[in-house]
Amino acid sequence: MFHCSTVRLCLASSLLLLLATSTTPAATVGYWRMEQDDNANQLAYSVPNEVPAGNPLTGAFGDIESEVPVDPVPLTGAANNGALSGLDNTSFSPDISGSVAYYPELDVSSITIEFFARTNEGQANFIQRRVDPSAGILINSPNNLNVRYTTASGLVELLNLYDFGSDWEHFAFTYDQATGVGKVYVSGVLVGTNDGPDGEALTWPASGNLLVGGAMDGGGGLQREAIYDELR
């Protein structure tokens, strides 16, 4: 697993972390481990944010699974005891479809997003925070991975990068404001990059929740549902 030195947002069956940078050293602005469900409702879930100033990841249908991609967690060495999945029950939605309510620390100039995922889903959104293409980020289409993000110069699209499947994969996206370079990695392999103008910050909508696992279930061929882990 590669190491990111700027900002990171990781999504995994047990963890979600978002880091932000500016002229100061990188700071963690969100981290969802997905090992704990604070919602007493047997259907809904609420995964706590390890960053005190941040908000939890919540959804109408979901469960904490014992199946995890790695143990211990890379970089931190922490034990990995759980992952978030949709419900394996045809009576309810199998999609993860989680949401983190907006807080200002999410508006970062540089970023690293990373997570583990296991899904054969074709049209799901891993990560979404934008209301239109003019601002924000969208990471979607697990079977032909697409990453879209915006800077002052406009929309950047990195398309048809990778096909996720029934095995766990680690995803990471980095954008460095200083160099204008965006990079996408899957399981440590660089699969896409864009070199934009130096010094341009990411642009974001005025507000807007962070959406996680939108319309994402296990997809064809998987008996169990999609699973996220270590999102930060």
Side-chain angles (χ1 to χ4, degrees):
M1 175 177 172
F2 80 100
H3 176 69
C4 306
S5 60
T6 56
V7 179
R8 88 179 54 181
L9 168 63
C10 302
L11 176 66
S13 60
S14 65
L15 168 66
L16 168 60
L17 172 65
L18 174 63
L19 303 177
T21 59
S22 58
T23 57
T24 59
T28 303
V29 301
Y31 187 3
W32 301 260
R33 294 221 60 195
M34 306 195 192
E35 295 189 348
Q36 176 179 332
D37 183 359
D38 290 341
N39 193 322
N41 186 312
Q42 292 186 346
L43 299 180
Y45 62 87
S46 178
V47 176
N49 192 335
E50 300 294 309
V51 176
N55 292 321
L57 170 66
T58 62
F61 302 104
D63 197 14
I64 302 298
E65 298 277 357
S66 59
E67 180 180 347
V68 296
V70 290
D71 186 22
V73 177
L75 300 184
T76 68
N80 191 359
N81 298 315
L84 177 65
S85 77
L87 293 178
D88 189 8
N89 186 322
T90 56
S91 299
F92 307 104
S93 170
D95 299 328
I96 291 174
S97 294
S99 178
V100 176
Y102 170 78
Y103 53 102
E105 288 79 5
L106 296 176
D107 295 336
V108 298
S109 57
S110 300
I111 198 169
T112 299
I113 300 172
E114 58 179 324
F115 57 84
F116 291 94
R118 195 206 70 171
T119 180
N120 280 330
E121 174 65 70
Q123 302 302 317
N125 297 332
F126 283 127
I127 295 288
Q128 180 178 4
R129 187 172 165 236
R130 69 173 187 171
V131 289
D132 61 62
S134 65
I137 190 166
L138 174 64
I139 301 168
N140 69 344
S141 299
N143 65 354
N144 61 343
L145 181 65
N146 298 322
V147 177
R148 296 175 173 90
Y149 62 96
T150 54
T151 69
S153 294
L155 175 66
V156 177
E157 296 183 296
L158 300 173
L159 306 178
N160 301 313
L161 301 178
Y162 192 78
D163 183 1
F164 277 71
S166 56
D167 295 327
W168 282 105
E169 300 279 11
H170 175 262
F171 169 91
F173 165 69
T174 70
Y175 177 77
D176 183 359
Q177 177 187 10
T179 63
V181 174
K183 295 181 179 180
V184 180
Y185 298 82
V186 176
S187 296
V189 177
L190 181 67
V191 297
T193 186
N194 180 78
D195 189 357
D198 295 355
E200 289 198 349
L202 293 169
T203 58
W204 300 100
S207 60
N209 295 345
L210 172 67
L211 306 181
V212 175
M216 182 176 172
D217 58 32
L222 281 181
Q223 297 301 313
R224 301 179 65 192
E225 303 313 321
I227 307 181
Y228 272 108
D229 197 17
E230 297 302 315
L231 169 60
R232 58 181 180 178

